[in-house]
Amino acid sequence: MTASLRTLPNGVRVVCDPMPGLETLALTVVAGRGAAYEDPARSGWSHLLEHMVFKGAGGRSARDIVEVIENQGGSINAATGYERTSFQVRALKGGLDLGMDVIADLVRRPTLDPADLTREKQVVAQEIAEAADAPDDYVFDLIQRASWGDHPVGRPILGSDETVEAATVEALSDWRAQLYAADRLVVSATGAVDEAELMAAAERAFGDLPAAPGAPVPTPATFVGGPQAEARKLEQAHLVFMLPACGSRHDDYFALRIFAETLGGGMSSRLFQEAREKRGLAYNIDAYADTYADHGGLGVYAGCAAGDAIETAKVCAEEVAKLAQRIDEAELARAKAQLKAHMFMAREQPLSRAEQGAGQVLLFDRLYPPSELATEVDAVTSADVARLGQRLLSGQAATAVLGAKSALKAGEVFAKTLSSKA
């Protein structure tokens, strides 16, 4: 059975992707907005709002929201990102109507009680503190700032204590109307689902949602680059390096994914073999494509002893520069196979598949069948990877280092080494 995409009269799009043989379903309602749409004064409000809707909605208490789903064997969750906010239900076959009704209440009819807001601000403050205390989390806040500067994607999704504290019930209610507007809402269901049943449920839940536009679309972020470094007494130094690349809509997107896979995507990757297997510099080291709709970067993360930070930075820069010049045909074939495997294995998980479908609709206003994705991956050539490599080397690197003082110059070493090899 093939997936279908239909649109309600008010603009809400609906993806139905049955998976024959399953006794469960996954439902996600995705608003194509998140922290990237926030101005500085509202930093963290999208995440705070996601918390708040679970405190009460549609006449249900916080406990009722969870119990009504779990009593039927299901689970409910949500996630806030820079460009989207997702509300997710996993349920047994037959649980679609209940899941849709509960999510619709969260999105459309939250209680937003002032007393709940006071308490939830304290919870989010603890979440912010926890992230700051976790070096392998906090270093990624540093690299966002170094990469994207004052743009909203350069700020933490959680916001700050000050901006979260400034939120009021009235202001959050107004933000909810902008964030969850019909023009960027996608309902996506996979697994044991029927299209007619899904369309009826979606129409009932969201068909009368006003079609008024939501929050203004932010300008695409411009890669800034530069260093961020903080000294802490830690057992490890945490290093993240970012280079300017492209967004998910760009023709070189799959070349970027292949570059990241070859550089540090697995145990056969260049970084793993050189930095860990040959030199024993790092236990954790990998590369990744950090992409948004219209901008993105290539990231490298390494956790190493402070005394090895400088050498690790050199190795990372050298391997990036080498790969930017040439990729072996065997490496290219292996990276393509790995990338296709990652995409197709994700499609075997109903919730991941539902989120993937919603993401495709938000980015391209269409669905991509697996065969088409495979064709696009297979079409990437060594020349495409080389062109992408030159783009990576074209701007100032962004670097983030967290650890002992002796490790803090690792970012500078990475940037200088890469510049000398370009």
Side-chain angles (χ1 to χ4, degrees), residues 2-5 14-18 187-190 193-196 198 367:
T2 58
S4 65
L5 171 61
V14 184
V15 176
C16 183
D17 192 1
V187 177
S188 181
T190 60
V193 292
D194 172 78
E195 184 180 43
L198 175 62
L367 296 171

Side-chain angles (χ1 to χ4, degrees), residues 389-403:
Q390 293 310 302
R391 180 172 185 155
L392 296 172
L393 303 180
S394 66
Q396 181 185 13
T399 64
V401 181
L402 188 65

Side-chain angles (χ1 to χ4, degrees), residues 319-341:
E319 293 304 321
V320 168
K322 289 177 186 176
L323 183 55
Q325 298 300 322
R326 182 175 182 274
I327 183 172
D328 296 337
E329 288 302 318
E331 287 182 307
L332 180 61
R334 182 166 60 246
K336 289 179 179 181
Q338 287 292 311
L339 181 52
K340 287 186 289 186

Side-chain angles (χ1 to χ4, degrees), residues 160-177:
S160 67
D161 290 338
E162 293 76 20
T163 57
V164 168
E165 182 57 37
T168 65
V169 164
E170 293 76 18
L172 279 183
S173 181
D174 176 68
W175 187 235
R176 181 199 62 79

Side-chain angles (χ1 to χ4, degrees), residues 49-295:
L49 177 61
E50 177 223 307
H51 275 234
M52 279 299 299
V53 301
F54 278 89
K55 301 297 104 180
R60 295 186 180 93
S61 68
R63 181 165 184 166
D64 292 339
I65 290 169
V66 176
E67 284 191 344
V68 73
I69 296 294
E70 293 186 353
N71 285 347
Q72 302 300 316
S75 62
I76 187 167
N77 205 349
T80 301
Y82 282 107
E83 294 186 324
R84 67 187 65 164
T85 307
S86 302
F87 296 90
Q88 308 154 346
V89 165
R90 292 283 280 118
L92 295 172
K93 182 190 293 185
L96 177 67
D97 284 344
L98 175 62
M100 188 77 77
D101 290 346
V102 172
I103 291 180
D105 284 340
L106 297 178
V107 171
R108 304 190 60 186
R109 292 173 284 274
T111 305
L112 299 183
D113 180 76
D116 288 335
L117 179 57
T118 298
R119 286 189 293 269
E120 207 58 28
K121 286 178 179 179
Q122 296 175 333
V123 172
V124 172
Q126 290 304 307
E127 191 174 357
I128 292 171
E130 181 180 335
D133 286 344
D136 51 350
D137 283 342
Y138 183 65
V139 72
F140 286 96
D141 286 344
L142 295 181
I143 199 64
Q144 289 295 123
R145 190 187 314 160
S147 300
W148 309 111
D150 293 332
H151 191 276
V153 297
R155 299 192 292 263
I157 290 173
L158 300 180
S160 67
D161 290 338
E162 293 76 20
T163 57
V164 168
E165 182 57 37
T168 65
V169 164
E170 293 76 18
L172 279 183
S173 181
D174 176 68
W175 187 235
R176 181 199 62 79
Q178 296 183 57
L179 204 67
Y180 305 155
D183 66 314
R184 294 285 287 170
L185 206 66
V186 178
V187 177
S188 181
T190 60
V193 292
D194 172 78
E195 184 180 43
E197 180 187 3
L198 175 62
M199 291 304 300
E203 177 67 43
R204 183 181 66 252
F206 297 104
D208 62 341
L209 185 65
V217 177
T219 58
T222 299
F223 192 89
V224 176
Q228 289 283 330
E230 290 190 19
R232 285 195 189 179
K233 293 182 179 179
L234 299 171
E235 292 297 321
Q236 275 195 316
H238 297 269
L239 320 176
V240 185
F241 310 121
M242 187 73 70
L243 298 169
C246 60
S248 300
R249 293 184 174 128
H250 197 278
D251 289 343
D252 282 337
Y253 170 72
F254 285 113
L256 172 61
R257 293 288 303 273
I258 285 173
F259 194 104
E261 187 68 37
T262 305
L263 181 66
M267 295 175 67
S268 63
S269 68
R270 292 191 181 192
L271 284 177
F272 191 95
Q273 288 296 314
E274 187 67 28
R276 176 169 164 168
E277 294 298 283
K278 292 183 180 178
R279 307 195 192 200
L281 292 172
Y283 175 69
N284 285 325
I285 187 164
D286 57 51
Y288 60 97
D290 183 34
T291 57
Y292 307 87
D294 297 309
H295 58 278

